[in-house]
Amino acid sequence: MLKARAKWKISKTDARQVEEFANELQVSTLVARLLISRGITDKEHAAAFLHGGTDHVHDPFLLSGMQKAVERIRQALERGEKIRVYGDYDADGVSSTTLMVHLLKQLNATFDYYIPHRVHEGYGLNKPALDLARQQGVQLLITVDTGISAVEEIAYATELGMDVIVTDHHEPPELLPVAYSVINPKKPDCPYPFKSLAGVGVALKLAQALLGRWPEELLEFAAIGTVADLMPLLGENRVIVRQGIKKMQSTKNWGIRSLLDVAGVKLKDVNATHIGFALAPRINASGRLNNADDAVRLLITDSEQEAEHLAYDLDSLNKERQRIVDEMTKQAMAMVEERMSSGLNKVIVLAQVDWNVGVIGIVASKLLDKYYRPTLILGIDKESGMAKGSARSIAGFDLYQALTHCHDLMDHFGGHQAAAGMTLPKENLPELERRLNVLADEWLSPDDFIPILQADLECSLDEVGIDTIQQLDQLGPFGMGNPVPKFVFTDVRCQELRTIGREQQHIKMMLCKGTEEASVALDAIGFNKGTVLPWISSTATLNVLGELSINEWNGVRKPQMMIQDVSVPDVQLFDWRGAAKPENKLQELARCLEQLYGKVQEGRKLPALLTFHPDDKQVRFQLIKSYPVWKVDTATGECIPANDLARGLTWSDVTDVVFYDMPPRLSLLEQAVANAAHAQRWYALFSGKLFDQGTIPSRDMFKTVYGAVQQQGNRAFQGNAFTDVLSRRSGYSKELIQFMLDVFTELGFVRKTAEGFMPVANPVKKELGSSRLFQQRKHSAEVEQTLLYSSAQQLYELLKGCQNQTKPSLEDII
């Protein structure tokens, strides 16, 4: 068995409803099933989702404060006042700033822009930056993707004689800043119907209001920030990103072209995934490790040469960012593992002097993925003693609300349910950790710590083809709120399974319906899933959840699955027969079990060795000290603890069973398997030799030997001389002839004397099958043939037939 990493929630659809919906919308049944599985069940909603354009864009003046902001900006344009765009250093802030730069250029404004340095200034407005703005003659300040919490700073700007227009999308605090105008769809009094705009989305609405039209020329910048800031790609965001990607596919912007080029993405192929995983990280790298001004310059330059140079610099910064993230993540995970001995807190809070605050959010996300707990990562400035942190959360734990409960400990904080940032003195960290864990105790149940994977459909490999996958594009662009469709395939086999990647951290499978060579097969890749390889055997029947895509290589296009999770619902067999060094296999298994379960105590979760020959020296001396050893009572078939590690455990509870040697008869193995009711994995070693194995003589062979004995009459003969002569004459081995003589002796046909053997006069007639030796040898041959010369699949079916368990349902294993 192999339990899934997450709980799978698989949507169900009604076949009749799907058929009707497909006919109404003139789409395939697959697309209809996906729409229904996502709650889109009426024709109008579905049509808007599939084909909606600017007719589904809202009036920008529905945003509270928009009219006043437009009037003030137009006044500044008429008067020639200097305008400053005040942005943020992440991809949303950079794209928002870039959009405003292009907009103000169109409006012939007198303007510049300013983005604070992440390390030196931190997030949001700050008084030194406002002093600088005033010194440089700025009369109107427009914030993008920031400002909603800057109550003191905006009051200070007003004192300096500057008007401030705030455009933001973050959660508003109870006390809003007193600015000239505040535009945020999340404001309590704002009637705007779509609340999930990114910061760049709010800036786009301001552009729409100022231009009096839908600003198509700015959509590619709006798409970048919307995707990068993980906004739900529904409603208006869906229109923005879909049209922005279309614009990007033929863009004339040198910055976007150059950035895509260094990322190895062709213009015509650009999609939301490329924005999220190719453009956004490189744009973010500028603000994380250097100054975000470089990213803005890249996106506003008219020089191809400058764009190429800046794109190369951002790509280099991103590689350095990846190196720093890897190093910090290893340090953070080591700290978590060290704490695990005393129990892992429900909220992880880690801080270290001089951790790079530019990448702490990424590290927090990586720890969240591994441990699935709300996570705060903080870097401590050794000179000031201030800790600056970034947090990521799970469903059920609202970070913003949690931090609000701890506001007295922090100088600054902000964010939303899933992500937040904060600054506080390092001496307040223990109390912050304590309070957050108290809140987690109140808000979270044990089930909340199990990740959830939502799958759209359960389907068959027969349904997967190029055309099917191309149909999925109708539901794009994909991202937050509209994820790439996920499919579940059950009861599939693995024709091929191996690790790939520089560090062998990924897996590649070939999934098929059965063992037939001609069965439908699907290539599958599992990124960073290399650790599951030891837990999937060649005989396993899998359930796999993942996303479908098309892999193109050397002009050949094939369906491909990107694995998100995998489970094995049944007990598995790992075939170790013929292993040159079984002790190495056992050591590796013990190591893997420790990684799976953590440190073990008193033999629990160690592999359990089952032996039918406990007096064998290798079992007695080499293995008995390292693993729980169980021996089989050959009379009763009972499995009995054979060492201290096994005592105190119950055979029915063992999960990993190593069949160390071969039983004298199959029934003993079958009984042991049946009684190991909770076994999840079997390891077939079957080392050593059976004591009585060999060829089973035929009746004619027995006749030949008995006839030779009778020819001697009543004269005893020396066994060795007789077997030598008969072996040369008959071609039978001396060992086989001796065995038949022993059987005749047991049955009373031959009598053994000091001199040798002689026939018994008038023996009682008996069948060969009544001989204990004959039956023992017969069983031994059966055992050898069954256990040593069967295929792995045949052996698995034999063992599975003995197990007293019913197959668990898909819900049980996930």
Side-chain angles (χ1 to χ4, degrees):
M1 292 182 181
L2 174 66
K3 285 192 71 69
R5 181 184 62 87
K7 291 186 291 187
W8 299 0
K9 290 191 173 180
I10 307 172
S11 301
K12 304 293 183 182
T13 56
D14 178 78
R16 183 176 177 182
Q17 183 186 20
V18 168
E19 193 67 33
E20 292 175 356
F21 210 46
N23 291 333
E24 287 180 1
L25 294 172
Q26 294 297 297
V27 296
S28 69
T29 55
L30 175 69
V31 171
R33 286 173 70 193
L34 287 168
L35 289 170
I36 292 171
S37 74
R38 296 188 175 198
I40 303 174
T41 56
D42 66 85
K43 184 177 178 181
E44 290 73 22
H45 186 189
F49 184 85
L50 292 173
H51 312 296
T54 52
D55 52 329
H56 292 87
V57 167
H58 304 296
D59 182 350
F61 289 101
L62 291 175
L63 281 160
S64 173
M66 181 63 78
Q67 184 66 48
K68 191 175 181 182
V70 168
E71 291 173 356
R72 180 65 185 87
I73 292 171
R74 285 177 176 161
Q75 183 184 71
L77 295 173
E78 292 170 3
R79 295 177 177 177
E81 293 177 344
K82 185 173 182 179
I83 302 172
R84 173 161 293 174
V85 179
Y86 195 107
D88 186 28
Y89 37 68
D90 69 2
D92 188 14
V94 166
S95 57
S96 301
T97 305
T98 299
L99 186 149
M100 289 300 297
V101 167
H102 284 284
L103 171 66
L104 293 174
K105 276 185 180 179
Q106 287 187 56
L107 298 174
N108 296 315
T110 303
F111 75 96
D112 61 13
Y113 67 89
Y114 184 89
I115 296 180
H117 194 283
R118 182 189 292 262
V119 176
H120 301 147
E121 297 174 84
Y123 173 79
L125 297 168
N126 64 82
K127 291 181 179 180
L130 295 174
D131 288 335
L132 179 64
R134 182 58 185 149
Q135 292 169 16
Q136 294 176 342
V138 173
Q139 295 165 280
L140 175 62
L141 194 73
I142 304 175
T143 74
V144 287
D145 192 36
T146 190
I148 195 65
S149 299
V151 176
E152 292 184 16
E153 291 79 6
I154 289 175
Y156 183 69
T158 302
E159 290 177 11
L160 294 176
M162 288 183 288
D163 288 336
V164 180
I165 295 173
V166 174
T167 73
D168 201 353
H169 74 122
H170 292 98
E171 294 291 337
E174 290 185 11
L175 180 63
L176 293 176
V178 182
Y180 189 90
S181 176
V182 177
I183 305 173
N184 185 331
K186 295 178 182 175
K187 277 169 48 181
D189 64 338
C190 183
Y192 197 72
F194 187 69
K195 304 295 184 181
S196 298
L197 291 170
V200 72
V202 180
L204 182 74
K205 301 306 293 186
L206 178 58
Q208 182 186 4
L210 283 165
L211 295 173
R213 59 176 174 80
W214 185 240
E216 293 183 3
E217 68 277 18
L218 303 177
L219 288 174
E220 54 192 332
F221 309 118
I224 292 173
T226 301
V227 172
D229 218 42
L230 303 180
M231 293 295 104
L233 299 190
L234 300 169
E236 201 163 8
N237 284 343
R238 183 171 170 78
V239 177
I240 291 170
V241 174
R242 174 188 279 172
Q243 294 187 0
I245 288 173
K246 187 175 181 180
K247 173 78 174 174
M248 200 178 292
Q249 288 171 344
S250 58
T251 185
K252 293 180 171 56
N253 182 279
W254 288 118
I256 293 176
R257 291 173 71 98
S258 299
L259 209 51
L260 288 170
D261 186 56
V262 298
V265 179
K266 296 178 182 178
L267 274 182
K268 66 180 180 65
D269 296 330
V270 174
N271 57 34
T273 300
H274 294 132
I275 293 175
F277 292 94
L279 294 185
R282 289 168 171 81
I283 292 172
N284 274 324
S286 176
R288 293 185 192 281
L289 302 185
N290 197 0
N291 192 319
D293 183 64
D294 290 344
V296 177
R297 285 170 51 212
L298 170 70
L299 295 174
I300 65 176
T301 184
D302 293 325
S303 166
E304 179 181 5
Q305 185 176 3
E306 183 182 22
E308 290 176 351
H309 175 74
L310 288 168
Y312 175 82
D313 287 348
L314 291 189
D315 187 57
S316 298
L317 277 175
N318 189 52
K319 291 173 181 173
E320 174 64 9
R321 187 269 308 168
Q322 290 172 327
R323 185 194 65 77
I324 294 172
V325 166
D326 288 345
E327 183 178 314
M328 285 177 55
T329 301
K330 288 178 183 177
Q331 293 175 5
M333 287 184 177
M335 293 168 70
V336 173
E337 297 296 330
E338 187 177 342
R339 296 183 181 187
M340 273 190 169
S341 57
S342 57
L344 188 57
N345 282 341
K346 292 182 177 178
V347 179
I348 298 172
V349 180
L350 302 175
Q352 191 87 298
V353 173
D354 289 338
W355 265 354
N356 189 309
V357 297
V359 299
I360 50 178
I362 302 174
V363 177
S365 294
K366 287 183 177 291
L367 265 68
L368 177 74
D369 289 342
K370 182 171 178 63
Y371 301 106
Y372 201 68
R373 278 163 162 68
T375 302
L376 283 72
I377 303 294
L378 304 100
I380 302 173
D381 187 293
K382 60 184 177 183
E383 294 182 1
S384 67
M386 296 299 291
K388 186 176 293 185
S390 188
R392 299 293 182 269
S393 193
I394 63 177
F397 192 81
D398 189 318
L399 270 177
Y400 184 78
Q401 291 300 321
L403 293 175
T404 301
H405 281 273
C406 310
H407 67 90
D408 57 303
L409 299 175
M410 296 173 286
D411 287 15
H412 302 284
F413 75 94
H416 46 81
Q417 183 276 326
M422 72 294 298
T423 303
L424 68 159
K426 66 178 182 181
E427 54 267 22
N428 290 354
L429 285 172
E431 178 62 13
L432 176 65
E433 181 175 13
R434 188 194 68 79
R435 290 195 202 176
L436 291 175
N437 276 286
V438 169
L439 292 172
D441 285 334
E442 295 175 4
W443 296 354
L444 299 173
S445 69
D447 281 351
D448 290 322
F449 294 99
I450 303 174
I452 296 173
L453 279 174
Q454 178 68 50
D456 294 271
L457 301 172
E458 184 178 340
C459 58
S460 165
L461 292 177
D462 291 333
E463 300 177 71
V464 177
I466 298 292
D467 292 342
T468 304
I469 297 172
Q470 288 176 331
Q471 291 175 28
L472 303 181
D473 290 340
Q474 295 179 59
L475 278 73
F478 299 113
M480 289 297 293
N482 185 44
V484 176
K486 293 180 175 61
F487 300 89
V488 171
F489 298 93
T490 59
D491 295 328
V492 294
R493 300 289 300 278
C494 210
Q495 281 185 345
E496 174 189 338
L497 176 60
R498 59 190 173 92
T499 55
I500 58 175
R502 186 173 59 185
E503 298 179 2
Q504 301 297 296
Q505 71 272 43
H506 316 305
I507 58 172
K508 182 175 183 179
M509 299 181 180
M510 182 178 288
L511 304 175
C512 62
K513 289 175 60 178
T515 56
E516 303 86 359
E517 291 184 6
S519 64
V520 176
L522 176 66
D523 286 340
I525 304 292
F527 287 111
N528 296 310
K529 299 259 184 307
T531 54
V532 307
L533 186 68
W535 308 112
I536 301 177
S537 75
S538 61
T539 59
T541 299
L542 313 176
N543 298 327
V544 186
L545 183 152
E547 301 169 355
L548 296 174
S549 62
I550 296 174
N551 180 37
E552 186 168 348
W553 180 255
N554 290 335
V556 178
R557 306 177 81 221
K558 294 174 61 178
Q560 177 177 264
M561 185 182 203
M562 311 308 293
I563 300 170
Q564 304 291 313
D565 203 1
V566 60
S567 71
V568 180
D570 282 331
V571 64
Q572 296 188 78
L573 171 68
F574 293 84
D575 192 353
W576 288 2
R577 292 174 296 180
K581 294 185 176 181
E583 62 274 14
N584 291 349
K585 286 280 193 183
L586 286 165
Q587 289 171 6
E588 178 64 17
L589 174 58
R591 186 187 64 80
C592 290
L593 286 170
E594 184 175 311
Q595 289 180 346
L596 183 66
Y597 295 114
K599 296 289 185 181
V600 293
Q601 295 179 352
E602 299 177 353
R604 299 179 188 279
K605 302 307 180 185
L606 280 171
L609 271 62
L610 182 67
T611 177
F612 297 89
H613 309 288
D615 294 329
D616 179 79
K617 290 183 178 180
Q618 188 168 6
V619 174
R620 189 168 69 246
F621 296 116
Q622 293 187 21
L623 303 174
I624 203 165
K625 295 180 180 179
S626 303
Y627 308 99
V629 177
W630 300 77
K631 61 183 179 180
V632 176
D633 186 322
T634 54
T636 65
E638 183 183 359
C639 296
I640 304 169
N643 66 352
D644 290 340
L645 287 172
R647 293 183 185 95
L649 305 179
T650 304
W651 176 250
S652 63
D653 291 335
V654 297
T655 57
D656 292 79
V657 180
V658 179
F659 302 118
Y660 184 77
D661 47 26
M662 288 188 288
R665 54 186 184 273
L666 285 176
S667 60
L668 293 174
L669 175 64
E670 292 167 353
Q671 186 174 343
V673 170
N675 292 335
H678 291 91
Q680 297 182 14
R681 289 165 290 271
W682 297 314
Y683 302 86
L685 189 56
F686 297 128
S687 63
K689 290 284 187 179
L690 284 173
F691 298 124
D692 298 299
Q693 66 183 9
T695 304
I696 302 297
S698 67
R699 184 170 292 273
D700 287 340
M701 290 178 178
F702 275 103
K703 286 182 178 180
T704 299
V705 173
Y706 190 61
V709 173
Q710 285 181 317
Q711 287 178 8
Q712 304 298 315
N714 293 325
R715 179 172 55 86
F717 58 88
Q718 292 297 326
N720 287 343
F722 177 78
T723 54
D724 288 344
V725 172
L726 185 54
S727 177
R728 289 194 298 270
R729 185 192 311 163
S730 66
Y732 306 156
S733 71
K734 289 186 285 185
E735 183 275 334
L736 188 61
I737 294 170
Q738 184 62 52
F739 167 72
M740 288 186 276
L741 288 171
D742 291 340
V743 170
F744 287 138
T745 301
E746 180 191 355
L747 295 175
F749 296 166
V750 171
R751 181 164 53 89
K752 189 173 183 181
T753 68
E755 293 79 15
F757 294 92
M758 63 183 298
V760 173
N762 301 314
V764 177
K765 186 176 181 180
K766 295 179 182 177
E767 290 294 328
L768 284 173
S770 65
S771 164
R772 181 188 60 81
L773 289 175
F774 182 81
Q775 288 298 330
Q776 189 174 23
R777 192 178 187 100
K778 185 178 178 181
H779 284 307
S780 297
E782 180 187 15
V783 168
E784 181 184 77
Q785 185 64 34
T786 302
L787 300 185
L788 291 187
Y789 301 115
S790 57
S791 68
Q793 186 63 35
Q794 290 170 333
L795 181 58
Y796 173 74
E797 290 171 0
L798 168 71
L799 297 173
K800 189 69 178 74
C802 305
Q803 193 183 39
N804 295 329
Q805 279 190 323
T806 56
K807 181 176 179 180
S809 66
L810 183 60
E811 288 74 16
D812 292 331
I813 200 66
I814 61 177

